[in-house]
Amino acid sequence: MQDHILIAALVSVIAFFSVYIITPYLIRFLEKRNLTVKDFHRKGGATVPRLGGVSILIGIISSELVLFVFFPITEIIVILITTSLAFLVGLVDEVTGLKKFIWFKPLALAGAAIPILLLGTFDSNLVFPLFGSIKIPLLYLAVVVFIIPITGNTVNSIDVLNGAASGFMTIASFALATSLFILGNYEIAIACLPLGFVSLAFYKYHKFPSRIFPGNSGALALGGMYGVIAIVGQVEIIAAIALFPAIINIFYLLSRMKRIKDREKKSKPVTITDDFKLAATNYKDAPITLVRLILARGPLSEKQVVSIIFKLALFAAALAIITTFMMGVRL
Amino acid sequence: MIGAHIFFFIFIMWILIIAGGGILVLLVAPITISGFGELDSFISSSIKAIIAIALIVAWIIILSKIKNRMFLKRITS
């Protein structure tokens, strides 16, 4: 057990400090090459470097490779491959014109799940709290293919405000790691720690006022890794519960998929007031996103909205951990 | 408290996912089909998969309706 604690500490330190140290250099590199986007929510519309996913991926790969030296298990290889593929999908989506094809991201992310199937690092038993498990061999193959696009897009959908995605993923990842520790799945729990520490280190630069954005590459890498850990750790339901606040946005994405053809006609869900606060719009056809729900009672500053998102994430994390304890109870 | 309605909404999501798990384990899992020879397990698996997908779709529709109603109530009050 003492060995496990030392290894957990080592990979956490590597994950945190690799992102913490590399990101300032990455910011300067991206600014020099003008790889920036305008932050419309900020006074004066500052430009902020995107492609922060590069430092996120470096943090994940370096820490997981060190972990693999201590625990040479296939699950860590799968985590590395799927996360890297999810990062590449985001990168391609960001730097090429493929963004126009609405199906590119979900289909390519589904492809990123293939290593999980090929290397057989899943168990087709889906475990529910209080009631036990259900074996769904056929359906579970589809579940594996669907989970990565869902978690990837869920994290991507919450990456609309400074610090929201990285802060949210810090809370959700630590909740997932805690659940895995409680269930006694120590190796995957330790493999999950870098996700939390990478998100935490990146949050330092991503929080308001952002110095860098994770971009699609970073958001999909974080979401993809979260999804693959849920599968290989057999904690799919717990992982979904910790993501609940962000899943509210997925309902909107699903409705958007349904109306692909007339998506251009949809109105904006949120607008900016003269004093640079965020406000929900009154348009009937605008999607009801998480941010719009938060702003339903009136305008708030970006920092206030992000703070509410973090409180919701903590609430969902608490429900996820309660659910973990309920896994051992049978009605 | 700002956003209290969303905490309540997340709590409903949690209750529904646990209830959905109960339906799957207690009602759907025991379903067995016989009379098709070697295809028995394939057919019963397919039926279970279809019911599970229908439950997920129902979960999304119910929560979408609650969310829309909750938002419209807040924005018009």
Side-chain angles (χ1 to χ4, degrees), chain A residues 174-324:
Chain A
F174 285 136
L176 192 62
T178 307
S179 298
L180 285 159
F181 275 117
I182 293 168
L183 293 170
N185 198 343
Y186 300 121
E187 290 172 353
I188 305 300
I190 296 171
C192 184
L193 285 176
L195 182 60
F197 280 100
V198 157
S199 305
L200 183 64
F202 193 79
Y203 176 72
K204 192 211 175 291
Y205 305 101
H206 187 211
K207 70 181 177 189
F208 186 88
S210 280
R211 291 175 58 198
I212 189 167
F213 290 146
N216 284 353
S217 56
L220 295 187
L222 293 175
M225 183 170 174
Y226 187 86
V228 69
I229 288 171
I231 295 166
V232 300
Q234 295 162 41
V235 283
E236 304 85 349
I237 303 299
I238 293 166
I241 291 168
L243 274 193
F244 269 175
I247 285 177
I248 293 172
N249 278 334
I250 279 289
F251 298 150
Y252 144 65
L253 285 176
L254 288 172
S255 69
R256 202 179 74 155
M257 291 283 194
K258 208 171 64 183
R259 299 170 199 152
I260 287 166
K261 282 181 186 165
D262 54 25
R263 73 183 194 277
E264 288 83 11
K265 291 178 198 165
K266 277 195 155 280
S267 306
K268 277 189 169 181
V270 172
T271 186
I272 301 165
T273 62
D274 292 338
D275 55 349
F276 273 83
K277 281 189 171 179
L278 301 174
T281 58
N282 285 324
Y283 303 123
K284 269 189 177 172
D285 62 336
I288 303 171
T289 60
L290 176 63
V291 175
R292 197 168 178 227
L293 264 179
I294 291 170
L295 295 167
R297 273 286 165 90
L300 293 170
S301 71
E302 185 167 354
K303 270 178 106 172
Q304 285 174 311
V305 175
V306 173
S307 157
I308 294 169
I309 290 175
F310 290 170
K311 284 176 192 161
L312 292 167
L314 284 169
F315 179 62
L319 290 179
I321 291 168
I322 292 169
T323 309
T324 310

Side-chain angles (χ1 to χ4, degrees), chain A residues 128 131-132 134 138-139 241 244-245 248 251 254 282 288 292-294 296-297 308 311-312 315 319 323 326, chain B residues 2 5-7 9-10 13-14 18 21-22 24-26 29 42 45 52 60 63-64 67-68 71 74-75:
Chain A
F128 288 95
F131 301 102
I134 174 171
L138 264 187
L139 184 63
I241 291 168
F244 269 175
I248 293 172
F251 298 150
L254 288 172
N282 285 324
I288 303 171
R292 197 168 178 227
L293 264 179
I294 291 170
R297 273 286 165 90
I308 294 169
K311 284 176 192 161
L312 292 167
F315 179 62
L319 290 179
T323 309
M326 287 161 67
Chain B
I2 303 167
H5 57 297
I6 311 173
F7 285 92
F9 181 71
I10 288 172
M13 287 173 89
W14 185 61
I18 290 172
L24 275 179
V25 175
L26 301 178
F42 177 78
S45 276
I60 292 171
L63 288 170
S64 289
K67 184 185 74 167
N68 293 354
F71 177 76
R74 299 267 147 191
I75 206 130

Side-chain angles (χ1 to χ4, degrees), chain B residues 44-55:
Chain B
S44 58
S45 276
S46 303
I47 290 170
K48 286 176 196 177
I50 290 165
I51 296 171
I53 291 165
L55 277 173

